[in-house]
Amino acid sequence: MKDKYILALDQGTTSSRAIVFDTKGNTVSLAQLEYPQIYPKEGWVEHNPLNICSSQTAVMKDAVARAGLGFKDISAIGITNQRETTVVWDKTTGEPIYNAIVWQCRRTAARCDFLKASGLADKVYEKTGLPIDPYFSATKLEWILDNVDGARSRAENGELLFGTVDTYLMWTLSGGKIFATDYTNASRTMLFNIHTLDWDDELLKLFNVPRKILPEVHPSGYLYGYTDERFGGVPITGVAGDQQAALFGQKCFSFGECKNTFGTGCFLLMNVGGKAPKSKHGLITTLAAGLGNPDYALEGSVFVGGAVVQWLRDSLKMINSASETEEYFNSVNDTLGMYIVPAFTGLGAPYWDAYARGTITGITRGTTKEHFIRAALESVVYQVYDVVRAMEKDCGSKINRLAVDGGAAVNNALMQFTADIIGCDTIRPATVETTAFGAYYLAGLASGLMSFDDVKKPIGAETTFKPQMPAEKRERLLSGWADAVKRARG
């Protein structure tokens, strides 16, 4: 019997990746390509949408070629993507009318402040599960329509289309035949009602967004359509925002199961079943990935996770590669009381402070490069701790098991520090590619190539990190972190 293969596209904030899997979960080949970040002003972050698509199509071709295959050998495609990033393009030509405004971008902070001051926060949260914040797509889309010449009138005339990255990718790969998104990405726009599972007319009016520029919305596991002849006419049968894809890839299918992804940012999600809870501690209620009507999830988002390592590498030139950080971390026992709060674009959950900025405290004459690098890595864990505690308060129970994934999860020292600071078993799967696995599982299930029994089978041995730090030391470190965050707040 001829082998069948699934191509997972992982379009991230700093790079595009493509992985060819067989139906047993084995990685056949992988290709990855970084692409430029654009910072027009302080707190502004953009991507060129053409760079996103060209890098993604390049790694698609590369991964398929490395596997010794052609697109005719690929049975299904699954897509996972950076969320909230906003693209508006010409319906006829496919050309973007402005750069993609990235999820990290804070340019609409003043607009969000105005909406909150107008008493709209509760209404928006009740419909979307989201706080009013520049993080989400609605004010980014509104900004493009208001600030690009002729954009609003063109949108109202049906000449423009809006989408998150998954939508623009599918439009491009299909030659303009697919204009759709899934529930998980739609739920991040601040325009989608997570209870009715539809675009919300009241929110569209609030942000002055014409319904005609919005994509169709489907379950994450669904036959969206087919790539065009350039890519072999392969069915696209799975789409999910990266963090919901990782939740699915970690097999968190039941109430209370949670994961944290250590990526460019950090994202802690917990499956909370078929009823949408209301967070009282700064978390988001969002939609989880699935094949029919979705479950809900609680989520806490940390804006700067692994990005702090990129900062050490690219801006400060302290390291040559991320892999060096574990050795530096282990070369000192602590940071000598130094803390870094990497609020480069504000603070996310549970603070939602768009005006917080990066802060370094506790530097002494004895501070070395090693202490600085360790403090940068520790800052990632402290931010995750803040989200874990908020989630425990919302759920009324302690989290005893945390599944982890993402690029930084390969750092053993960082994962042990995570177990120590959060105070629970930290479980790393055999592969940290769980975001891509989520897209792979969704595509395999929706195409009929796999069953849930296939998905539930373990792939390799997981690693468990158990708490070892004395409680007194843990509380002292957390107290210092809380003080540093106060200093960083806007």
Side-chain angles (χ1 to χ4, degrees), residues 289-421:
L291 272 68
N293 281 354
D295 281 343
Y296 293 92
L298 276 176
E299 175 178 336
S301 307
V302 172
F303 295 153
V304 176
V308 77
V309 176
Q310 286 182 310
W311 175 62
L312 294 175
R313 182 192 69 187
D314 300 338
S315 299
L316 302 186
K317 312 298 183 186
M318 283 192 173
I319 57 173
N320 294 313
S321 67
S323 60
E324 297 175 15
T325 58
E326 185 167 0
E327 182 178 349
Y328 280 115
F329 189 100
N330 285 328
S331 68
V332 290
N333 293 324
D334 54 35
T335 66
L336 294 183
M338 175 187 175
Y339 291 88
I340 297 175
V341 183
F344 303 149
T345 55
L347 286 170
Y351 304 103
W352 296 109
D353 186 343
Y355 299 101
R357 284 297 177 264
T359 304
I360 302 171
T361 67
I363 296 176
T364 68
R365 183 64 183 82
T367 302
T368 66
K369 171 180 173 178
E370 288 77 9
H371 295 117
F372 198 101
I373 292 171
R374 179 166 180 136
L377 264 68
E378 286 188 358
S379 75
V380 179
V381 177
Y382 290 134
Q383 292 177 95
V384 173
Y385 166 86
D386 289 340
V387 175
V388 167
R389 287 295 166 261
M391 196 164 283
E392 289 178 338
K393 290 175 183 176
D394 272 341
C395 295
S397 61
K398 187 171 181 350
I399 292 174
N400 295 312
R401 185 184 190 278
L402 180 65
V404 295
D405 55 68
V410 301
N411 186 320
N412 290 327
L414 189 65
M415 293 304 97
Q416 183 58 53
F417 193 72
T418 299
D420 288 338
I421 290 298

Side-chain angles (χ1 to χ4, degrees), residues 74-123:
I74 303 299
S75 298
I77 291 175
I79 296 174
T80 181
N81 57 283
Q82 55 169 313
R83 304 171 302 171
E84 298 94 16
T85 296
T86 299
V87 187
V88 179
W89 66 95
D90 184 288
K91 183 176 182 179
T92 303
T93 67
E95 287 290 314
I97 67 165
Y98 188 80
N99 278 339
I101 301 182
V102 179
W103 58 272
Q104 298 161 314
C105 188
R106 313 303 286 172
R107 77 184 63 193
T108 60
R111 171 62 170 155
C112 291
D113 288 344
F114 174 80
L115 293 168
K116 287 185 280 190
S118 301
L120 293 166
D122 287 345
K123 178 176 287 188

Side-chain angles (χ1 to χ4, degrees), residues 153-346:
S153 61
R154 293 181 67 198
E156 290 168 353
N157 291 335
E159 299 171 27
L160 301 179
L161 300 175
F162 152 76
T164 43
V165 169
D166 59 306
T167 301
Y168 188 59
L169 261 183
M170 285 194 286
W171 172 270
T172 301
L173 294 175
S174 67
K177 289 186 171 62
I178 303 173
F179 183 48
T181 189
D182 85 305
Y183 288 138
T184 67
N185 280 292
S187 72
R188 314 298 296 193
T189 60
M190 214 157 64
L191 298 169
F192 190 76
N193 191 313
I194 62 172
H195 309 287
T196 65
L197 301 181
D198 192 12
W199 302 112
D200 189 274
D201 287 330
E202 193 173 5
L203 295 175
L204 297 183
K205 183 177 180 181
L206 174 63
F207 294 104
N208 200 10
V209 172
R211 182 180 272 265
K212 64 181 70 173
I213 74 169
L214 301 173
E216 296 178 357
V217 188
H218 302 295
S220 300
Y222 182 83
L223 176 56
Y224 284 82
Y226 300 83
T227 62
D228 65 19
E229 61 278 0
R230 295 171 299 162
F231 306 103
V234 181
I236 299 173
T237 55
V239 176
D242 51 11
Q243 302 315 317
Q244 287 97 329
L247 188 71
F248 201 85
Q250 286 277 27
K251 305 175 187 179
C252 295
F253 304 138
S254 301
F255 181 91
E257 294 180 331
C258 59
K259 68 88 197 174
N260 184 69
T261 295
F262 289 87
T264 302
C266 287
F267 303 89
L268 184 72
L269 274 77
M270 176 187 285
N271 186 320
V272 291
K275 293 185 178 180
K278 183 173 182 178
S279 174
K280 297 180 180 178
H281 299 93
L283 301 179
I284 291 166
T285 305
T286 194
L287 294 175
L291 272 68
N293 281 354
D295 281 343
Y296 293 92
L298 276 176
E299 175 178 336
S301 307
V302 172
F303 295 153
V304 176
V308 77
V309 176
Q310 286 182 310
W311 175 62
L312 294 175
R313 182 192 69 187
D314 300 338
S315 299
L316 302 186
K317 312 298 183 186
M318 283 192 173
I319 57 173
N320 294 313
S321 67
S323 60
E324 297 175 15
T325 58
E326 185 167 0
E327 182 178 349
Y328 280 115
F329 189 100
N330 285 328
S331 68
V332 290
N333 293 324
D334 54 35
T335 66
L336 294 183
M338 175 187 175
Y339 291 88
I340 297 175
V341 183
F344 303 149
T345 55

Side-chain angles (χ1 to χ4, degrees), residues 3 6 11 43 45 51 125 151 176 236 248 288 310 327 348 377 385 427 444 465 468 482:
D3 289 335
I6 296 172
Q11 203 300 301
V45 189
N51 285 341
Y125 181 86
I236 299 173
F248 201 85
Q310 286 182 310
E327 182 178 349
L377 264 68
Y385 166 86
I427 315 297
F465 299 87
Q468 298 175 358

Side-chain angles (χ1 to χ4, degrees), residues 38-46 98 105-107 143 345:
I38 302 168
Y39 305 103
K41 296 181 182 180
E42 180 188 356
W44 290 31
V45 189
E46 297 178 358
Y98 188 80
C105 188
R106 313 303 286 172
R107 77 184 63 193
W143 188 94
T345 55

Side-chain angles (χ1 to χ4, degrees), residues 16-47:
S16 295
R17 297 194 304 160
I19 304 176
V20 176
F21 293 100
D22 65 22
T23 53
K24 294 182 175 65
N26 298 309
T27 299
V28 180
S29 66
L30 182 150
Q32 179 168 345
L33 188 62
E34 290 193 5
Y35 60 91
Q37 309 292 298
I38 302 168
Y39 305 103
K41 296 181 182 180
E42 180 188 356
W44 290 31
V45 189
E46 297 178 358
H47 293 154

